[in-house]
Amino acid sequence: MAHLLSFIVFIPLVGGLLVLLTPKTYEYLYKVVTLSSLGLTLLLSIYLVAGFDTGLQEAINTEQQLQFAEKADWFSFSLGSLGEISVDYFLGVDGINVTMLVLAALVLFIGAISSWNIKKHQKGYFGLYLLLSTSVLGCFVALDFFLFYLFFEFMLLPMYFLIGIWGGPRKEYAAIKFFLYTLVGSVFILIVMIGLYNSVYDPLKTAEAVNLSVSGMNTEQIIEAVQQQVESGAIAKEDLVKSFNMLHMANEANYIPGSFLDKAGLSTVFGQPARWIAFLALLIGFAIKLPSFPFHTWLPDAHVEAPTPISVVLAGILLKIGGYGIIRTAYAMFPDGAYHYAWLIGFVGIFSIIYGAMNALAQKDLKKLIAYSSVSHMGFVLLGLSAMTVEGISGAMYQMFSHGLISAMLFLLVGVLYDRTHDRMIENYGGLASQLPKFTVFVTISFFASLGLPGFSGFVAELTVFIGAFKSEATNGAIPFWMPIVGTLGLILGAGYYLWTLQRMFMGKFWVKDKHWLSTLKDLELREYIMLVPLVALTLLFGIYPALLFDLINASVISFVDHISPLAK
């Protein structure tokens, strides 16, 4: 299907426009349009995965690695002696982002079902939700840094209002805190993006600009010829067409000799190579989104105050943009910086694992407990990335996918309880298993899945991360052997806070703080089953048969590690 990715990205936006144009008299259509738009998006993403070639293995910095790619000139203009700037409408998928795309489509669809109970300002809510959906989906498939940044920034506005208007008692505080933290991260990313634009050129467009004779040459030969002439000075710098193409930025041969971020690394900032500082800036920018310690403090507040559907989307998919951004930009573009700071990344990873778990253990609010568990589980992503091995990178990507399913399920279950009693305090419940047996079954499954019980996707993800981390010292020396050993403490703490919560809230004699809740504490409804059953099934499916996911990502991960490994030796 032509322009499949464009349909996936922009169908929700069209749905949002339809919602805004629909008169309030027909407000029941707001939900129908939202669900239909995201349902179609999910079906198209599944169709895309079904047609994905799992055996395609090309260099990570070439367009040959991409599938379902769409590329067109967007705009360009001359900068005089500084050359020409070119921005493309460039979308594509490979093993790095295909799983994130289908996860985003699934979580957004389930979030739309969860939004069925929204009563306040429905037109605004569903319009913003669909705008957020387009921004999230666009982030995962945009391969022009300028386009990626637009999608990344557009997420701020709808999320700010979705928390600030439809959230809890401290919604304004949580929304502003989320906005400021993410905006600061965006500034770091923007600075590096500008530095990259000043340092990277497009070899194909440059060949056209200088009328290079390409008779009888294929694309790879043209690129090589331009790169050789730029290196030798045969093509003047003012004739170069500068590019935001993320694949060009990941190829060190496309850096302008003597530029700020040139592969030679001669430029310095505060006595350190500019490329290392650029890597750190990208790492911080996306680590805020991930989030990892010490940039995590916005997350518990945002989760606690956000309505249930927004918590589901926030934990299930928005956090994953942080991990994906680190892989696609920081690691791919600055592998030398990734290796230099691997020890720091690994240490922050294990610290986040333990710190998040210990905070979760101390929480009295069930939603805040799950929020801190997300900080802990995202630490495994950093640990896997720091290993710079095939197993470590694969485990980090598997963890992002697995956590997206499990965290969405956890926040849905908190929402089920909150909808009935408007209370999330753990100490206010006891013996719920006797009153809500079906609800208890789903809570138990989600808790065991999150703590990494064998048979669930979380176990596969964390095991793969640890295998890659243990292997790292002998393979490339990126991180020491003791880091994954210390990281295993997070597994013990995870079992502690989940089992203790399960025991306090669901075991023993039935008891609730407020007797008025007895009339509203009813077991799961059909709509809630529709949301929860697919998530449980997928968590089990990817836990029992992990090849379904590994087959999608394996070829690209191998190419990615080959791309960064020469500098890691």
Side-chain angles (χ1 to χ4, degrees):
M1 181 188 293
H3 307 295
L4 178 58
L5 289 177
S6 290
F7 284 124
I8 290 173
V9 171
F10 292 107
I11 282 175
L13 182 60
V14 174
L17 293 174
L18 288 175
V19 167
L20 295 178
L21 293 173
T22 302
K24 190 174 181 180
T25 311
Y26 303 99
E27 65 179 4
Y28 67 92
L29 290 176
Y30 301 157
K31 299 175 182 178
V32 174
V33 170
T34 301
L35 204 59
S36 300
S37 301
L38 292 171
L40 181 56
T41 298
L42 176 59
L43 290 175
L44 289 176
S45 68
I46 293 171
Y47 174 80
L48 181 144
V49 171
F52 188 80
D53 182 1
T54 59
L56 183 63
Q57 185 169 339
E58 297 285 346
I60 201 69
N61 53 7
T62 65
E63 292 186 19
Q64 287 73 28
Q65 80 188 76
L66 300 177
Q67 300 180 47
F68 304 97
E70 301 176 31
K71 189 176 182 181
D73 293 336
W74 188 4
F75 65 87
S76 62
F77 52 89
S78 174
L79 298 173
S81 61
L82 296 177
E84 184 178 343
I85 181 175
S86 175
V87 178
D88 294 329
Y89 175 77
F90 187 18
L91 309 178
V93 292
D94 57 11
I96 303 295
N97 61 356
V98 66
T99 56
M100 293 294 99
L101 179 64
V102 71
L103 174 66
L106 174 63
V107 171
L108 289 166
F109 178 69
I110 289 176
I113 300 174
S114 178
S115 301
W116 214 255
N117 287 338
I118 295 293
K119 305 297 182 186
K120 177 182 177 183
H121 306 312
Q122 291 187 23
K123 176 179 283 194
Y125 176 88
F126 288 105
L128 288 168
Y129 187 86
L130 287 166
L131 175 60
L132 175 67
S133 300
T134 284
S135 302
V136 170
L137 293 164
C139 259
F140 285 119
V141 296
L143 292 173
D144 182 280
F145 212 151
F146 186 90
L147 182 61
F148 171 88
Y149 190 77
L150 286 182
F151 283 125
F152 188 82
E153 284 295 279
F154 266 115
M155 285 188 296
L156 280 178
L157 188 64
M159 184 58 76
Y160 170 78
F161 286 113
L162 286 167
I163 296 174
I165 297 176
W166 289 272
R170 299 175 72 241
K171 55 192 176 185
E172 293 89 354
Y173 168 77
I176 292 172
K177 193 172 183 180
F178 162 80
F179 189 92
L180 291 177
Y181 267 74
T182 309
L183 185 63
V184 169
S186 299
V187 170
F188 280 101
I189 297 167
L190 177 63
I191 292 170
V192 178
M193 186 178 77
I194 294 171
L196 285 164
Y197 140 73
N198 279 308
S199 304
V200 176
Y201 66 92
D202 187 323
L204 291 175
K205 291 186 177 181
T206 298
E208 295 177 9
V210 300
N211 297 315
L212 181 70
S213 177
V214 296
S215 178
M217 299 171 65
N218 60 33
T219 301
E220 292 182 3
Q221 291 170 332
I222 296 171
I223 291 174
E224 186 177 349
V226 172
Q227 290 170 346
Q228 290 174 351
Q229 292 195 30
V230 172
E231 189 71 26
S232 65
I235 298 178
K237 292 183 180 180
E238 57 266 24
D239 293 328
L240 297 175
V241 179
K242 295 177 180 177
S243 175
F244 285 100
N245 188 308
M246 296 169 84
L247 302 185
H248 293 330
M249 291 175 174
N251 186 347
E252 62 178 21
N254 293 324
Y255 283 75
I256 302 169
S259 61
F260 186 63
L261 296 175
D262 178 25
K263 60 185 179 182
L266 299 178
S267 300
T268 60
V269 177
F270 304 122
Q272 296 293 315
R275 288 178 60 84
W276 293 1
I277 301 301
F279 172 83
L280 272 183
L282 286 176
L283 181 68
I284 292 171
F286 288 112
I288 291 173
K289 197 75 167 182
L290 191 60
S292 68
F293 178 88
F295 312 112
H296 66 286
T297 57
W298 64 268
L299 182 68
D301 292 311
H303 269 312
V304 167
E305 301 305 324
T308 297
I310 304 309
S311 287
V312 169
V313 173
L314 182 60
I317 199 62
L318 256 68
L319 306 188
K320 313 308 176 289
I321 292 174
Y324 170 75
I326 292 172
I327 296 171
R328 180 66 79 184
T329 64
Y331 268 66
M333 297 171 189
F334 304 107
D336 46 342
Y339 182 66
H340 179 76
Y341 290 111
W343 196 96
L344 173 64
I345 296 168
F347 181 79
V348 171
I350 61 171
F351 194 92
S352 295
I353 290 170
I354 297 170
Y355 173 84
M358 293 184 71
N359 271 277
L361 197 60
Q363 297 308 311
K364 297 181 179 180
D365 185 317
L366 182 59
K367 204 173 187 183
K368 211 165 190 177
L369 180 150
I370 297 170
Y372 274 109
S373 79
S374 292
V375 175
S376 180
H377 284 98
M378 289 299 97
F380 287 105
V381 174
L382 289 180
L383 180 61
L385 293 179
S386 68
M388 301 182 75
T389 58
V390 172
E391 296 89 346
I393 302 294
S394 296
M397 293 172 63
Y398 210 109
Q399 174 72 346
M400 288 193 291
F401 185 87
S402 170
H403 184 262
L405 298 175
I406 296 169
S407 62
M409 184 163 44
L410 286 166
F411 280 108
L412 284 173
L413 289 164
V414 175
V416 167
L417 190 62
Y418 187 76
D419 285 345
R420 287 153 171 75
T421 64
H422 300 290
D423 187 275
R424 298 184 303 263
M425 303 307 291
I426 296 171
E427 62 188 14
N428 291 344
Y429 301 92
L432 288 178
S434 60
Q435 182 77 7
L436 307 172
K438 297 171 184 176
F439 174 73
T440 304
V441 169
F442 279 93
V443 170
T444 304
I445 290 173
S446 63
F447 279 9
F448 282 128
S450 189
L451 64 83
L453 190 73
F456 293 100
S457 58
F459 171 76
V460 177
E462 292 168 4
L463 177 65
T464 310
V465 165
F466 281 122
I467 291 173
F470 277 117
K471 184 180 176 181
S472 178
E473 185 173 35
T475 303
N476 53 40
I479 58 172
F481 190 79
W482 60 264
M483 280 192 177
I485 295 177
V486 175
T488 57
L489 179 59
L491 303 179
I492 301 171
L493 292 171
Y497 60 73
Y498 278 128
L499 295 177
W500 192 27
T501 301
L502 195 66
Q503 182 267 326
R504 286 183 289 172
M505 293 186 69
F506 295 90
M507 302 297 112
K509 184 179 179 181
F510 173 67
W511 174 86
V512 290
K513 181 180 180 181
D514 191 334
K515 292 182 179 180
H516 293 95
W517 298 347
L518 296 176
S519 60
T520 59
L521 268 177
K522 302 182 185 303
D523 221 331
L524 296 176
E525 301 171 353
L526 177 61
R527 181 179 61 88
E528 293 158 348
Y529 278 118
I530 292 172
M531 294 186 291
L532 292 168
V533 170
L535 293 174
V536 171
L538 289 172
T539 303
L540 285 167
L541 178 64
F542 288 106
I544 296 169
Y545 191 49
L548 285 174
L549 193 76
F550 282 131
D551 286 347
L552 288 172
I553 69 175
N554 189 56
S556 291
V557 170
I558 291 172
S559 296
F560 183 79
V561 174
D562 287 343
H563 169 65
I564 63 177
S565 61
L567 292 171
K569 293 180 181 178

